[in-house]
Amino acid sequence: TPMAFAPPDGWTGTLREVLAAIDAARGALSADLPETRALTVTLRDSANYRLARSGHRLAGIPNGEARETWQISTLGGTPVARGVLDVPAPTFHDELPKGELRSRLEELARGRSLHPVAEIHVEETVAALRDEDGKIRCRLVLTVAVEPGGTRETELDVRSLKGYEADARRVRSRIAGTLGWPVRDVPAFARVQAAAISVPGVVGAELRPDDPAGPAMREILSAQADVLEDRLSGVLADRHPDYLHQFRVAIRRTRSALSQLSAAIALEGRAEAVDGFRWLGRVTSPARDLDVQLLDLARRRAEMESGTDALDVLERHLTALKADAHRDLVLELSGTRFQRLIARWRDSLNPSSANWTATEPLRAPFATLVSARASKLLRKVLRDGRRIGPESEAEMLHDLRKRMKKLRYVTEFLGEVTPREQMRPAIKALKVLQDVLGRVQDREVQVEALHGYGHALAGRKGSSAEALMAIGAWSEELDRDRRAARAEFADAFETFAAEETQALFHGIFDRHDGSAGGGRSHRHAANRHGANRHGAKED
């Protein structure tokens, strides 16, 4: 357990002064020659300093040649979570290994990209104190931390070892009594961390339920634009299927905001943006579909006890199709249409490019406007789900699935201003029903695709009867799973529509009815000005 002491004014930390302090503190213990190491600690935060605004700092501390320790701490220096990561460090919390660090960053960053925002230069001088048998009883650590603005802090820690706490207490007593150094309440490094980041006063302020809807949506959309730009290089290099998946999720969230919450978006070129992101979703779809099919093929191979060689020809076919689809995607994302779309979108999201509080809906409380739209989507989901029976056409389930996606994204927007412990059960309930609907739709698409691949491969050189039989057997199994998922829908929807589940959503939506003391009137005002008009048309 460390205890830090502050040196007196005028103490410069020369080697002579350091050795004198160690000599005065060690008592009957002997001191090793002090060893000094220097390192540069990188502070990370989102573009709008979400972590700093919540009273936290995220420090990346070098840990060997290719590793880095990330630590979240409070402004008082209390550690909140930490983890050791490989270098280069990730940009988004969801790239971290699962654990406390990832969970806390998910809560604090809310999907924002994390970039270096400041550096702190640290020098640590360590001297081990030993007894007559040469055993280390405690360590003295002199820390000097300096941030770019010039703030410099120095402290002397006494770090005890388990079983030798009494030695550490005696050393601390001598530092306080003989040297007269006072105990420091806040560690030097924490003080420098606090000084290293100057949080802007207005732009990108931490979101609250009663914030104006326009600026709040501008920030949320900016975060999705961050994901697009950060994942782009991985998509172009075809580094991993997750890059394209996350790229497409950001597209869908942006499209949902444009269609479902148009009144909260100050955008003259809305039609251009809607058309542009619809195009972007369309051109990224073929490569993503083939990614999924190749992943499914790998899982299919793993499940088979024998005969996996029969699927080699299908794998070669899918790999060739994926190469063509990726080439086409690279051409699209390297072209002027995509570059113009992103440039104009970024310009639209600039706080100075439009008056994001110009209309009454833009000034309405964010949570009130979004919860009103989410409530309406939920009513439509329940209405449409109740109309689906055992003989209903598959298209009705597909339409319900699309509406469920819109509901989920709009509900997740509310997660920006709602405690995560309240959001988690509601999002989980959405996912359960979405998974059943997804199996119905996905299996249908997969069966149709496999039939197409089978026809394409029939008679082709290298194709065998075994290969076509393996494709047919897989297709039949997928169709059985589709029928099973279709049969599960009624129970899954009944659970979702149950009073207990719906209470989860009403607990979130109703919570924001009175934001800023006038939520209900603001909501009606937003509706009068068309908050739901575009969303209903899109539906």
Side-chain angles (χ1 to χ4, degrees):
T1 303
M3 179 177 286
F5 295 85
D9 293 338
W11 197 82
T12 59
T14 64
L15 179 58
R16 182 188 296 273
E17 288 177 319
V18 171
L19 292 174
I22 293 173
D23 192 55
R26 65 182 178 85
L29 300 174
S30 62
D32 289 355
L33 287 175
E35 296 181 357
T36 300
R37 69 162 183 160
L39 63 153
T40 300
V41 176
T42 303
L43 299 186
R44 296 175 181 271
D45 210 324
S46 64
N48 65 332
Y49 296 93
R50 288 188 71 96
L51 274 67
R53 291 182 185 284
S54 66
H56 295 84
R57 295 290 188 268
L58 173 61
I61 306 164
N63 184 3
E65 293 184 0
R67 310 209 82 188
E68 191 172 80
T69 296
W70 276 23
Q71 176 170 296
I72 307 172
S73 57
T74 66
L75 292 183
T78 302
V80 174
R82 67 162 54 195
V84 180
L85 311 174
D86 292 330
V87 175
T91 304
F92 288 86
H93 76 270
D94 57 8
E95 296 175 310
L96 274 63
K98 291 184 178 180
E100 181 64 16
L101 177 65
R102 174 169 167 166
S103 298
R104 292 310 302 268
L105 283 177
E106 180 182 10
E107 177 183 350
L108 293 170
R110 303 271 185 167
R112 271 58 172 182
S113 55
L114 299 167
H115 296 286
V117 294
E119 288 185 343
I120 298 174
H121 297 286
V122 180
E123 280 192 2
E124 281 189 347
T125 301
V126 182
L129 302 187
R130 302 176 184 268
D131 60 19
E132 63 275 9
D133 296 325
K135 293 181 180 179
I136 298 176
R137 295 299 188 101
C138 62
R139 289 185 175 88
L140 291 175
V141 181
L142 180 71
T143 301
V144 180
V146 184
E147 56 91 22
T151 300
R152 178 188 180 94
E153 294 286 348
T154 304
E155 70 182 14
L156 182 64
D157 287 355
V158 181
R159 298 185 184 173
S160 60
L161 301 181
K162 187 175 181 179
Y164 300 110
E165 290 84 358
D167 294 277
R169 285 196 294 270
R170 285 191 287 270
V171 172
R172 289 168 184 155
S173 295
R174 283 190 287 272
I175 294 174
T178 305
L179 291 176
W181 289 18
V183 174
R184 188 187 288 278
D185 294 329
V186 179
F189 183 66
R191 293 162 67 93
V192 173
Q193 279 194 111
I197 299 179
S198 177
V199 182
V202 178
V203 178
E206 182 73 9
L207 292 184
R208 298 181 301 274
D210 58 352
D211 279 345
M217 283 306 305
R218 186 200 67 78
E219 184 183 328
I220 291 172
L221 289 169
S222 294
Q224 299 310 309
D226 286 347
V227 175
L228 288 175
E229 293 183 343
D230 184 84
R231 295 299 191 265
L232 179 60
S233 62
V235 172
L236 294 175
D238 199 15
R239 200 170 298 152
H240 190 279
D242 277 350
Y243 283 89
L244 181 55
H245 170 61
Q246 293 162 6
F247 192 82
R248 282 175 53 79
V249 169
I251 294 169
R252 289 200 298 268
R253 284 178 172 154
T254 300
R255 291 182 64 188
S256 290
L258 286 168
S259 67
Q260 304 303 311
L261 300 166
S262 59
I265 301 173
L267 198 62
E268 292 183 2
R270 179 183 177 277
E272 179 185 4
V274 168
D275 182 62
F277 281 99
R278 183 187 297 120
W279 164 80
L280 194 53
R282 186 171 63 249
V283 299
T284 55
S285 181
R288 175 58 186 167
D289 289 345
L290 286 160
D291 274 342
V292 172
Q293 287 159 6
L294 283 165
L295 290 170
D296 286 341
L297 178 59
R299 283 192 288 269
R300 175 64 176 172
R301 283 181 178 276
E303 293 168 356
M304 294 174 66
E305 296 180 359
S306 61
T308 59
D309 292 347
L311 293 174
D312 287 350
V313 64
L314 177 59
E315 182 174 8
R316 289 194 296 271
H317 183 61
L318 291 178
T319 302
L321 292 177
K322 170 60 195 301
D324 291 342
H326 178 67
R327 184 192 62 241
D328 294 342
L329 179 58
V330 169
L331 289 174
E332 296 286 7
L333 297 183
S334 302
T336 56
R337 180 172 184 177
F338 175 72
Q339 294 169 2
R340 184 169 59 246
L341 170 65
I342 296 302
R344 290 184 178 179
W345 183 239
R346 276 295 191 188
D347 183 63
S348 298
L349 297 177
N350 191 311
S352 62
S353 67
N355 187 349
W356 285 81
T357 56
T359 66
E360 188 172 354
L362 289 171
R363 294 190 295 270
F366 165 75
T368 301
L369 189 145
V370 178
S371 63
R373 182 58 189 158
S375 296
K376 187 171 183 179
L377 282 170
L378 179 59
R379 290 195 296 273
K380 290 182 177 181
V381 163
L382 294 173
R383 177 200 67 194
D384 292 352
R386 292 186 179 110
R387 291 174 177 173
I388 296 175
E391 305 303 322
S392 298
E393 295 181 359
E395 191 65 25
M396 293 183 68
L397 279 83
H398 182 45
D399 289 341
L400 178 61
R401 183 192 185 195
K402 290 190 289 186
R403 200 183 296 281
M404 288 281 294
K405 284 186 177 181
K406 295 173 184 177
L407 173 60
R408 178 174 167 184
Y409 289 141
V410 173
T411 303
E412 286 177 342
F413 292 152
L414 273 178
E416 295 280 344
V417 295
T418 304
R420 296 195 67 80
E421 60 271 16
Q422 188 176 11
M423 291 297 301
R424 234 181 240 112
I427 297 299
K428 183 178 179 180
L430 279 168
K431 286 182 178 179
V432 170
L433 182 55
Q434 276 187 291
D435 287 346
V436 173
L437 292 168
R439 280 172 56 207
V440 175
Q441 173 68 16
D442 293 345
R443 297 299 182 258
E444 184 176 331
V445 171
Q446 287 172 305
V447 168
E448 184 178 348
L450 284 176
H451 288 166
Y453 300 144
H455 286 301
L457 292 173
R460 181 180 295 185
K461 184 178 179 180
S463 297
S464 63
E466 290 79 6
L468 297 178
M469 290 175 63
I471 293 172
W474 187 15
S475 175
E476 290 175 5
E477 186 170 318
L478 288 172
D479 194 51
R480 283 196 296 272
D481 189 54
R482 178 193 63 78
R483 293 195 299 270
R486 179 65 179 84
E488 292 171 18
F489 168 76
D491 287 342
F493 182 78
E494 183 179 351
T495 300
F496 179 80
E499 184 176 345
E500 181 180 354
T501 306
Q502 290 303 300
L504 298 174
F505 294 97
H506 292 302
I508 297 169
F509 303 156
D510 296 348
R511 168 194 182 98
H512 301 299
D513 273 355
S515 293
R520 196 169 299 276
S521 62
H522 276 292
R523 183 175 60 192
H524 294 320
N527 288 341
R528 286 198 308 273
H529 286 79
N532 295 317
R533 183 175 64 250
H534 293 295
K537 187 175 181 180
E538 288 276 346
D539 290 339

